[in-house]
Amino acid sequence: MAHLDKAALRGIFRYRPQALPASEDPAAPPSDLRRIRWRRFSADPARMTAIYIGGGLLWVLGGDPLLSAWLAGAELSPMLGPLANALLITASGGLLYRLLSVQVETTRRAHLVQDTRLAEFIEMIVDMAFIKDREGRYLLFNSAGARLAGKPLAECLGQDDRALFPADMALKRMAADRQVIANGHPLNREDTFDIGGERRILQSTQWPYRDADDRIIGVVGIARDITARKQADERSWRARDELESRVRARTAELVTANRTLERLIAARVQTEIALRDSEERFRQLAEHIREVFWVYGIVEERLLYVSPAYEEIWGRAVRNFQERPLDWLEAVHPDDRPRIQAAHTAKLESGRLDEEYRIVRPDGTIRWIWDRGFPIRDAAGHVYRIAGLAEDITARKLAEDQLRRQQVELAKMSRLSLAVELASNLAHELNQPLAAIVAYTQACLTLLREDTADPRELTGTLEEVVNQGLRAGGIIRHLRGLVQKHPAAQTEIDLNALIRAVIHYAQLELRQADITVRLELTEPLPAILADDMQIQLVVLYLVRNAIEAMQDTDDAPRELLLRTTPLDTGTVHATVRDSGPGFGPEVLERLFQPFFTTKSAGMGLGLSVSRSLIESQGGQLWATPNQPDRGVSFHFSLPVYTHYR
Ligand code: ADP
């Protein structure tokens, strides 16, 4: 690119270079040029006018053949060499001359300038554009400026701002002009003026207007009315502020909502986990317990859940419930069914169930069931479900049956023991007199043989006496033999278990007598060496006596205490203590005597038999009055099993 004389150009326009984005306009200058000012006024390239500076060149494009030629020459200049440069400089000089020639000091000359291409160009600028002389008079002005001043364009030329604009505005603008002229620098400013009663904002750029000798001869400028844009900006700022504040408020709301949501989600997740855990726990529990766990829905009028143990106990499929809701009842033993049917109906009212019944399994076997139901209430306290457990108690029932059979045996045994004891006592009581009878009878017989009495009369009688006596003796021997043939079968015994069994056996009597049983059984307790049945019998006698004694008391609380403690290394001590009326010293003395009783229907043998049974097994039985409490305590001791091994 050829260089024109910069100084020649500087006199016309000295723009502050601005880097603008490369235009896509086909008429735009080559991209390697630095564009200063570019405005397209017409779509017709022939009518297009533009000014820009690139590489030190001033370019003016337009319909003017001279300018166009200059442009063409400029573009060709690199090929043409120094001659072309000379031509271009000449052309530039011509252009400058032409431009500068329109700059006159007077209104007349200004009118002439208006006729020039420059005036046309300025006219086409949509903003106020002007050239002023050093005194601030408009040498060149355009219609946009005149419109702002509210005067015809012709009236404006040759005038200064004071004649065109309000005083304060004129003052400011002219002061700015003076500043540009004084320091030679461009000036950019934004001012707010009151023009024709309207608030206007002007954005203006002024720069020095220089002659060929670089002397400042005036001011060139453009002023744009940016009021509308500012207002639009302000509106958009306000809108943006408002939007921003709304966004901020909304964001705050969202943050709060988000936090709440997060908390809710966290709580929900927590609950779900807890629920899953509890469901899992429930499932594991319900599906692994041996009892049938069931849930009945009152509203649904059917079983909502039956645990898998049903299939094991009932021997029927859980899925049967889908078609036959009363599947479980169908299996109930015909003898129990009416009762259980009624209990089932009652359960729907009370929410409770506590029944024992038999079921007949498909293979014909019978199982005993203990079925319990408990109400489940909603928040309002209404029973809406019943949860229950059906337990297979067949084994327990069998054990009870066995115990009952044992009790019958025990009763038989107790009668036998009583008989044995009775016989033993009778033998002791009757043996001597019978022996005497036999001796006397034999003496009589001797006398008779000596003929001192009527032999036939006495003989028959005395023989009868002897026979009776001998028969009695025979009976006694026989009974003694029985006692000897029934020795205690001593084995290793858990006394605590034995006591529990006896209490179980006597539970009906205890309940009927409204007696509270308290067990203080030391665990573990050394095993004792004794005859199981005989010790059961002793404990039973003592418990029965206690029950009978307490039945006589009607005011005081009735309590039966059974206690076991190891007495020393070789002995275990048991106590049966009641809260009955007790007895005085006279009774205490005779307590263990056979046939001593204070009861109308008593035999007075229980304690004496008990004592001999305990003593026959190496133990002791004794009684102590409870002091200062009511009642009596019976104690017995028995040897420890290991002690004898
Ligand atoms: P029975 O019970 O047939 O009378 P027992 O030998 O068992 O025969 O008892 C003898 C007597 O001892 C009873 O009649 C009763 O007077 C007294 N006796 C036994 N146990 C108690 C007791 N726990 N409290 C008060 N008196 C008792």
Short mmCIF file of all heavy atoms in Angstrom, two decimals, residues 541-542 545-546 548-549 578 581-583 587 591 593 596-599 601-608 632 634, ligand 1:
data_model
loop_
_atom_site.label_atom_id
_atom_site.label_comp_id
_atom_site.label_asym_id
_atom_site.label_seq_id
_atom_site.Cartn_x
_atom_site.Cartn_y
_atom_site.Cartn_z
N TYR A 541 -48.15 -83.42 100.01
CA TYR A 541 -48.80 -83.38 101.34
C TYR A 541 -48.63 -81.99 101.95
O TYR A 541 -49.57 -81.41 102.49
CB TYR A 541 -48.15 -84.40 102.29
CG TYR A 541 -48.61 -85.83 102.09
CD1 TYR A 541 -47.74 -86.89 102.37
CD2 TYR A 541 -49.92 -86.12 101.69
CE1 TYR A 541 -48.14 -88.21 102.22
CE2 TYR A 541 -50.32 -87.44 101.53
CZ TYR A 541 -49.43 -88.48 101.78
OH TYR A 541 -49.82 -89.77 101.64
N LEU A 542 -47.40 -81.49 101.88
CA LEU A 542 -47.11 -80.20 102.53
C LEU A 542 -47.90 -79.08 101.84
O LEU A 542 -48.45 -78.21 102.52
CB LEU A 542 -45.60 -79.89 102.49
CG LEU A 542 -44.71 -80.89 103.24
CD1 LEU A 542 -43.24 -80.49 103.12
CD2 LEU A 542 -45.11 -80.95 104.72
N ASN A 545 -51.60 -79.43 102.76
CA ASN A 545 -51.83 -78.93 104.12
C ASN A 545 -51.85 -77.40 104.12
O ASN A 545 -52.68 -76.79 104.79
CB ASN A 545 -50.72 -79.41 105.07
CG ASN A 545 -51.03 -80.80 105.65
OD1 ASN A 545 -52.17 -81.26 105.56
ND2 ASN A 545 -50.01 -81.45 106.21
N ALA A 546 -50.91 -76.81 103.39
CA ALA A 546 -50.84 -75.35 103.33
C ALA A 546 -52.12 -74.78 102.72
O ALA A 546 -52.68 -73.80 103.22
CB ALA A 546 -49.62 -74.92 102.52
N GLU A 548 -55.07 -76.15 102.62
CA GLU A 548 -56.19 -76.34 103.56
C GLU A 548 -56.10 -75.33 104.71
O GLU A 548 -57.11 -74.80 105.15
CB GLU A 548 -56.18 -77.77 104.09
CG GLU A 548 -56.73 -78.77 103.07
CD GLU A 548 -56.49 -80.24 103.44
OE1 GLU A 548 -55.99 -80.50 104.56
OE2 GLU A 548 -56.80 -81.09 102.59
N ALA A 549 -54.88 -75.07 105.16
CA ALA A 549 -54.72 -74.12 106.27
C ALA A 549 -55.13 -72.72 105.83
O ALA A 549 -55.83 -72.01 106.56
CB ALA A 549 -53.27 -74.12 106.74
N ASP A 578 -46.44 -71.18 104.35
CA ASP A 578 -47.76 -70.63 104.03
C ASP A 578 -48.05 -69.41 104.89
O ASP A 578 -47.30 -69.07 105.79
CB ASP A 578 -48.85 -71.70 104.20
CG ASP A 578 -48.96 -72.17 105.64
OD1 ASP A 578 -49.17 -71.32 106.53
OD2 ASP A 578 -48.82 -73.40 105.88
N PRO A 581 -53.24 -69.79 109.33
CA PRO A 581 -53.41 -69.41 110.76
C PRO A 581 -52.30 -69.94 111.67
O PRO A 581 -52.13 -69.47 112.79
CB PRO A 581 -54.76 -70.05 111.12
CG PRO A 581 -54.92 -71.18 110.17
CD PRO A 581 -54.21 -70.81 108.91
N GLY A 582 -51.55 -70.98 111.14
CA GLY A 582 -50.49 -71.53 111.99
C GLY A 582 -51.07 -72.39 113.11
O GLY A 582 -52.24 -72.80 113.04
N PHE A 583 -50.27 -72.68 114.17
CA PHE A 583 -50.77 -73.48 115.30
C PHE A 583 -49.99 -73.16 116.57
O PHE A 583 -48.91 -72.56 116.52
CB PHE A 583 -50.70 -74.98 115.00
CG PHE A 583 -49.44 -75.37 114.26
CD1 PHE A 583 -48.20 -75.24 114.88
CD2 PHE A 583 -49.51 -75.89 112.98
CE1 PHE A 583 -47.06 -75.61 114.20
CE2 PHE A 583 -48.37 -76.25 112.32
CZ PHE A 583 -47.13 -76.12 112.91
N VAL A 587 -50.02 -78.17 119.39
CA VAL A 587 -50.13 -78.84 118.09
C VAL A 587 -48.75 -79.19 117.56
O VAL A 587 -48.52 -80.29 117.07
CB VAL A 587 -50.91 -77.96 117.08
CG1 VAL A 587 -50.89 -78.57 115.68
CG2 VAL A 587 -52.35 -77.76 117.54
N LEU A 591 -47.57 -82.82 116.05
CA LEU A 591 -47.75 -82.69 114.61
C LEU A 591 -47.43 -83.96 113.83
O LEU A 591 -48.15 -84.37 112.93
CB LEU A 591 -46.82 -81.54 114.13
CG LEU A 591 -47.24 -80.67 112.96
CD1 LEU A 591 -48.64 -80.14 113.12
CD2 LEU A 591 -46.27 -79.49 112.86
N GLN A 593 -47.21 -87.00 114.97
CA GLN A 593 -47.70 -88.27 115.51
C GLN A 593 -48.74 -88.85 114.56
O GLN A 593 -49.59 -88.11 114.05
CB GLN A 593 -48.34 -88.05 116.88
CG GLN A 593 -47.31 -87.79 117.96
CD GLN A 593 -47.96 -87.57 119.32
OE1 GLN A 593 -49.19 -87.71 119.46
NE2 GLN A 593 -47.15 -87.26 120.31
N PHE A 596 -52.73 -87.98 114.40
CA PHE A 596 -53.06 -86.68 115.01
C PHE A 596 -53.61 -85.77 113.92
O PHE A 596 -52.97 -85.52 112.90
CB PHE A 596 -51.82 -86.02 115.63
CG PHE A 596 -52.10 -84.59 116.05
CD1 PHE A 596 -52.85 -84.33 117.20
CD2 PHE A 596 -51.69 -83.51 115.25
CE1 PHE A 596 -53.14 -83.02 117.55
CE2 PHE A 596 -51.99 -82.21 115.60
CZ PHE A 596 -52.71 -81.95 116.76
N THR A 597 -54.82 -85.30 114.19
CA THR A 597 -55.44 -84.37 113.24
C THR A 597 -56.34 -83.40 113.96
O THR A 597 -56.90 -83.73 115.00
CB THR A 597 -56.24 -85.13 112.16
OG1 THR A 597 -56.82 -84.18 111.27
CG2 THR A 597 -57.36 -85.99 112.73
N THR A 598 -56.46 -82.19 113.42
CA THR A 598 -57.40 -81.21 113.96
C THR A 598 -58.53 -81.02 112.95
O THR A 598 -59.37 -80.15 113.12
CB THR A 598 -56.71 -79.86 114.20
OG1 THR A 598 -56.13 -79.41 112.97
CG2 THR A 598 -55.67 -79.94 115.30
N LYS A 599 -58.50 -81.82 111.87
CA LYS A 599 -59.51 -81.67 110.82
C LYS A 599 -60.59 -82.73 111.00
O LYS A 599 -60.28 -83.87 111.35
CB LYS A 599 -58.86 -81.83 109.45
CG LYS A 599 -57.77 -80.80 109.19
CD LYS A 599 -56.97 -81.16 107.96
CE LYS A 599 -55.75 -80.25 107.86
NZ LYS A 599 -54.79 -80.73 106.86
N ALA A 601 -62.35 -84.25 108.79
CA ALA A 601 -62.23 -85.38 107.87
C ALA A 601 -60.78 -85.83 107.73
O ALA A 601 -60.44 -86.57 106.81
CB ALA A 601 -62.81 -85.01 106.51
N GLY A 602 -59.90 -85.36 108.61
CA GLY A 602 -58.48 -85.68 108.47
C GLY A 602 -58.16 -87.06 109.02
O GLY A 602 -58.87 -87.58 109.87
N MET A 603 -57.11 -87.66 108.50
CA MET A 603 -56.66 -88.95 109.01
C MET A 603 -55.48 -88.79 109.96
O MET A 603 -55.14 -89.70 110.70
CB MET A 603 -56.23 -89.84 107.83
CG MET A 603 -57.42 -90.45 107.12
SD MET A 603 -56.86 -91.50 105.78
CE MET A 603 -56.11 -92.84 106.70
N GLY A 604 -54.83 -87.65 109.86
CA GLY A 604 -53.68 -87.41 110.73
C GLY A 604 -52.49 -88.27 110.39
O GLY A 604 -51.69 -88.64 111.25
N LEU A 605 -52.35 -88.62 109.13
CA LEU A 605 -51.25 -89.48 108.73
C LEU A 605 -50.24 -88.79 107.81
O LEU A 605 -49.11 -89.24 107.69
CB LEU A 605 -51.80 -90.73 108.03
CG LEU A 605 -52.38 -91.78 108.96
CD1 LEU A 605 -53.08 -92.86 108.15
CD2 LEU A 605 -51.29 -92.41 109.83
N GLY A 606 -50.66 -87.69 107.13
CA GLY A 606 -49.82 -87.05 106.10
C GLY A 606 -48.43 -86.69 106.61
O GLY A 606 -47.42 -87.04 105.99
N LEU A 607 -48.38 -86.03 107.74
CA LEU A 607 -47.08 -85.55 108.22
C LEU A 607 -46.22 -86.70 108.74
O LEU A 607 -45.01 -86.73 108.53
CB LEU A 607 -47.27 -84.49 109.30
CG LEU A 607 -47.78 -83.13 108.78
CD1 LEU A 607 -47.99 -82.14 109.92
CD2 LEU A 607 -46.80 -82.53 107.76
N SER A 608 -46.89 -87.67 109.44
CA SER A 608 -46.08 -88.78 109.97
C SER A 608 -45.54 -89.63 108.83
O SER A 608 -44.37 -90.04 108.85
CB SER A 608 -46.91 -89.64 110.95
OG SER A 608 -47.92 -90.32 110.24
N VAL A 632 -47.05 -71.13 108.87
CA VAL A 632 -46.07 -72.14 109.27
C VAL A 632 -45.11 -72.41 108.12
O VAL A 632 -45.48 -72.26 106.95
CB VAL A 632 -46.78 -73.49 109.57
CG1 VAL A 632 -45.85 -74.44 110.30
CG2 VAL A 632 -48.06 -73.30 110.32
N PHE A 634 -42.75 -75.58 106.76
CA PHE A 634 -42.27 -76.95 106.89
C PHE A 634 -40.97 -77.06 106.12
O PHE A 634 -40.86 -76.53 105.01
CB PHE A 634 -43.31 -77.94 106.34
CG PHE A 634 -44.45 -78.15 107.30
CD1 PHE A 634 -45.56 -77.33 107.29
CD2 PHE A 634 -44.39 -79.19 108.23
CE1 PHE A 634 -46.59 -77.52 108.19
CE2 PHE A 634 -45.43 -79.38 109.13
CZ PHE A 634 -46.53 -78.54 109.13
P1 ADP B 1 -54.34 -84.28 108.34
O1 ADP B 1 -53.99 -83.29 107.34
O2 ADP B 1 -55.08 -85.41 107.82
O3 ADP B 1 -54.93 -83.68 109.55
P2 ADP B 1 -51.55 -84.29 108.77
O4 ADP B 1 -50.62 -85.27 109.41
O5 ADP B 1 -51.19 -83.96 107.44
O6 ADP B 1 -53.00 -84.93 108.82
O7 ADP B 1 -51.60 -83.03 109.63
C1 ADP B 1 -51.75 -83.15 111.05
C2 ADP B 1 -52.24 -81.86 111.61
O8 ADP B 1 -51.19 -80.89 111.57
C3 ADP B 1 -53.36 -81.19 110.86
O9 ADP B 1 -54.61 -81.72 111.25
C4 ADP B 1 -53.21 -79.76 111.26
O10 ADP B 1 -53.83 -79.51 112.53
C5 ADP B 1 -51.74 -79.63 111.47
N1 ADP B 1 -51.16 -78.98 110.29
C6 ADP B 1 -50.51 -79.61 109.31
N2 ADP B 1 -50.09 -78.71 108.40
C7 ADP B 1 -50.48 -77.50 108.85
C8 ADP B 1 -50.35 -76.18 108.37
N3 ADP B 1 -49.74 -75.91 107.22
N4 ADP B 1 -50.86 -75.18 109.09
C9 ADP B 1 -51.49 -75.42 110.26
N5 ADP B 1 -51.64 -76.64 110.76
C10 ADP B 1 -51.14 -77.68 110.07
#
